[in-house]
Amino acid sequence: VGKLSGVSKIHVSDMNADESLELIITSSLESGNLEIVIIDPNNNIIETIVINETVTITINPTIEGEYFVVVGGESAEYNITIDREIN
């Protein structure tokens, strides 16, 4: 269980345009506020992840580069697991 007040990059995938990325993200929030987003190489939010669920996201990049999973929290006590597969 982590505790967070602020913003943190918790995962990065370096992607080519001919690849696809599948992320399985499981989160639980014990207290506080938390948001999980996926950011593309141009720093645009491309997905907002629902908290307290297991979510499967498939990304087919149009831009090559690093894709980040970022969490933002305010007194957040949380747990997140991420499984990744690049095809």
Side-chain angles (χ1 to χ4, degrees):
V1 174
K3 206 162 198 181
L4 176 70
S5 287
V7 176
S8 181
K9 294 177 181 175
I10 61 169
H11 179 84
V12 62
S13 295
D14 193 8
M15 301 294 301
N16 295 319
D18 62 345
E19 296 175 319
S20 69
L21 172 66
E22 182 177 272
L23 296 173
I24 301 170
I25 301 172
T26 303
S27 65
S28 62
L29 178 62
E30 303 298 324
S31 64
N33 298 309
L34 185 71
E35 185 171 33
I36 306 169
V37 296
I38 299 174
I39 307 281
D40 74 10
N42 290 333
N43 290 319
N44 296 310
I45 295 173
I46 59 170
E47 195 78 43
T48 300
I49 308 301
V50 177
I51 305 296
N52 292 323
E53 291 187 15
T54 297
V55 179
T56 301
I57 304 294
T58 300
I59 299 170
N60 296 303
T62 56
I63 306 166
E64 293 189 1
E66 294 180 331
Y67 287 75
F68 295 95
V69 178
V70 177
V71 294
E74 180 181 351
S75 301
E77 193 170 329
Y78 68 96
N79 189 26
I80 297 173
T81 59
I82 300 173
D83 293 312
R84 165 182 92 157
E85 184 173 321
I86 297 175
N87 298 309

